[in-house]
C-alpha cells in the first residue's frame, strides 16, 4: 500500500514523534500540509493526517488542506493527534472537524490514534507544563502497534 503521512507539529514536536514511528512501520514519507499539492495525494492508497490539537481541533494548515482536497472514491485515510487532555469522547470530538472534512471528500477513515503530548501553552509554561515526557516509550509502542494493525484494516475495509 502506497502510504503518506501529512503532519503539522510545532509546539514540542510531539506529534512528529508519533508520526515517525508510524511512518517507519508503514514505509511512508512524511510531508507538511504546505508541501502537499492536494491533487498529488491521489497516487496514494492510504493517507494519514495528523497534528497536535489546538483549540479543540487539528491545526489550521491541515484543516485548510482538507478543504482543498479533490473528491476521491474509496480512498483510505487515518487520523492521529497528540493533545494535553485525553478521553475517549474528547478525542472523538477533537478529531471531528478534520474527520468530517475528509469524509465529505470521500475518504474512508480506517482508524484514529491519539496520545498525550507535553504542553506548555499559556500559563502552563510557568509551572513546568503538563504531560512532561509525553509521548513516552509506551505511547510510541502504542503508535507502532496502531500502524501494524492499520495495514490489515486498510486492506480489509
Ligand atoms: C495554542 C495551543 C492550543 C492548544 N489547545 C489544546 C486544546 O484545545 N486541547 C488540548 O487537549 N490540548 C491543547 N494544546 C496542547 C497540544 O495539543 C499538545 O501540546 C500537543 O502535543 C502539541 O503537539 P505538537 O508538539 O505536535 O505541536 C494546545 C497547545 C497550544 C500551543
Amino acid at each position: 500500500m502506497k502510504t503518506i503521512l501529512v503532519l503539522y507539529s510545532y509546539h514540542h514536536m510531539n506529534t512528529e514523534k508519533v508520526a515517525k514511528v508510524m511512518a517507519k512501520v508503514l514505509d511512508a514519507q512524511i510531508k507538511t500540509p504546505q508541501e502537499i499539492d492536494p491533487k498529488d495525494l491521489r497516487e496514494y492508497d492510504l493517507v494519514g493526517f495528523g497534528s497536535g490539537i489546538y483549540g479543540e481541533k487539528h491545526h489550521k494548515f491541515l484543516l485548510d488542506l482538507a478543504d482543498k482536497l479533490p473528491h476521491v472514491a474509496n480512498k483510505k485515510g487515518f487520523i492521529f493527534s497528540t493533545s494535553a487532555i485525553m478521553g475517549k469522547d474528547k478525542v472523538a470530538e477533537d478529531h471531528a472537524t478534520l474527520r468530517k472534512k475528509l469524509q465529505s471528500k470521500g475518504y474512508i477513515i480506517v482508524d484514529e490514534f491519539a496520545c498525550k503530548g507535553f504542553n506548555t501553552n499559556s500559563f502552563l509554561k510557568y509551572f513546568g507544563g503538563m504531560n512532561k515526557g509525553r509521548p513516552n516509550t509506551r505511547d510510541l509502542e502504542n503508535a507502532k502497534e496502531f500502524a501494524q494493525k492499520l495495514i490489515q484494516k486498510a486492506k480489509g475495509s
Side-chain angles (χ1 to χ4, degrees):
M1 282 202 135
K2 198 172 174 199
T3 305
I4 187 165
L5 271 62
V6 188
L7 167 77
Y8 195 75
S9 178
Y10 79 92
H11 184 43
H12 287 286
M13 309 316 283
N14 296 325
T15 322
E16 183 185 59
K17 291 179 186 132
V18 168
K20 281 186 169 168
V21 170
M22 291 181 181
K24 197 170 172 198
V25 175
L26 297 166
D27 191 21
Q29 260 193 304
I30 302 176
K31 287 194 175 181
T32 63
Q34 302 95 306
E35 288 172 323
I36 298 278
D37 181 339
K39 64 181 183 310
D40 291 347
L41 289 184
R42 278 188 288 206
E43 66 186 80
Y44 294 91
D45 306 305
L46 179 64
V47 187
F49 297 88
S51 77
I53 295 297
Y54 319 99
E56 298 174 6
K57 43 180 127 58
H58 283 84
H59 194 274
K60 189 179 181 309
F61 290 164
L62 207 52
L63 299 174
D64 288 349
L65 174 72
D67 284 333
K68 286 186 218 136
L69 292 175
H71 284 268
V72 287
N74 282 330
K75 172 86 68 194
K76 313 275 166 66
F78 65 97
I79 295 173
F80 59 100
S81 69
T82 62
S83 62
I85 300 163
M86 296 275 304
K88 195 165 176 286
D89 290 347
K90 172 149 188 317
V91 171
E93 285 163 20
D94 286 347
H95 285 193
T97 307
L98 179 60
R99 187 189 314 113
K100 282 179 193 159
K101 285 180 189 290
L102 294 173
Q103 286 173 335
S104 78
K105 295 298 173 82
Y107 278 81
I108 297 161
I109 303 303
V110 180
D111 208 354
E112 303 187 24
F113 177 89
C115 73
K116 284 187 179 176
F118 183 43
N119 180 24
T120 54
N121 187 34
S122 183
F123 66 90
L124 289 166
K125 61 178 165 289
Y126 304 114
F127 303 98
M130 65 190 287
N131 306 330
K132 202 166 169 52
R134 305 292 293 270
N136 58 20
T137 314
R138 183 149 188 200
D139 295 321
L140 298 180
E141 204 45 55
N142 288 341
K144 186 176 171 187
E145 206 175 293
F146 169 89
Q148 285 161 341
K149 288 183 181 160
L150 194 62
I151 300 170
Q152 289 315 313
K153 283 187 186 171
K155 280 182 186 160
S157 61

